Amino acid sequence: LRPPQVHKVRATLLPPTLERVGAKLTERALAAVLLEGARVRPYMATRMPQYPVEVVDGLAQAFASLDADAFAGDPPLAEPAEAAVGARLAGTRGLGCVQCHGFSEHPSLGIPAPNLAEVAQRVRPAWFRRLLA
């Protein structure tokens, strides 16, 4: 079943939850958001507020430390055969991830969502695996 089009539009207007953000994002990605104003959803009007470095310095490490037990251990890298299955699943004949997510220089087929080629730089593998499960 496909969600109604209205649901897709509303989903692009809502920011992601910050629950367990230290288990989700790498420390580098958290620091980039907090200290540099990094964004992966430029289509959203909602933005993370920017504070002086003295206020947010150390928060990335604190979030990571607080959520360290959420998803113990990063899973091993996928074998080539598993990666091929993942590519099929992400396509239009699988789960359809490309309907919203671009991949590298290939734009999404519909509404924009974070580019899948950049996920590994921002998201912890254990969190991502749990999301997909």
Side-chain angles (χ1 to χ4, degrees):
L1 292 173
R2 289 186 144 208
Q5 187 66 24
V6 172
H7 177 72
K8 282 186 174 184
V9 171
R10 287 188 65 213
T12 66
L13 301 176
L14 302 174
T17 178
L18 295 178
E19 182 179 356
R20 297 278 191 178
V21 71
K24 176 181 180 180
L25 297 179
T26 64
E27 282 186 43
R28 175 67 197 115
L30 273 170
V33 170
L34 295 169
L35 300 171
E36 302 164 18
R39 300 179 69 197
V40 295
R41 294 175 176 85
Y43 49 86
M44 295 186 86
T46 305
R47 293 190 172 122
M48 183 69 165
Q50 294 297 287
Y51 300 99
V53 172
E54 318 68 73
V55 174
V56 295
D57 192 31
L59 275 181
Q61 296 85 1
F63 283 130
S65 176
L66 181 66
D67 293 335
D69 66 336
F71 310 111
D74 286 341
L77 293 174
E79 297 294 325
E82 292 171 319
V85 170
R88 271 198 312 277
L89 283 173
T92 57
R93 295 179 189 227
L95 299 174
C97 304
V98 296
Q99 295 295 329
C100 300
H101 294 278
F103 189 83
S104 195
E105 72 277 357
H106 304 288
S108 71
L109 301 176
I111 62 170
N115 192 305
L116 292 177
E118 300 164 1
V119 168
Q121 298 166 0
R122 298 177 19 261
V123 176
R124 295 180 187 273
W127 181 89
F128 191 70
R129 181 169 275 201
R130 185 173 176 135
L131 170 73
L132 294 181

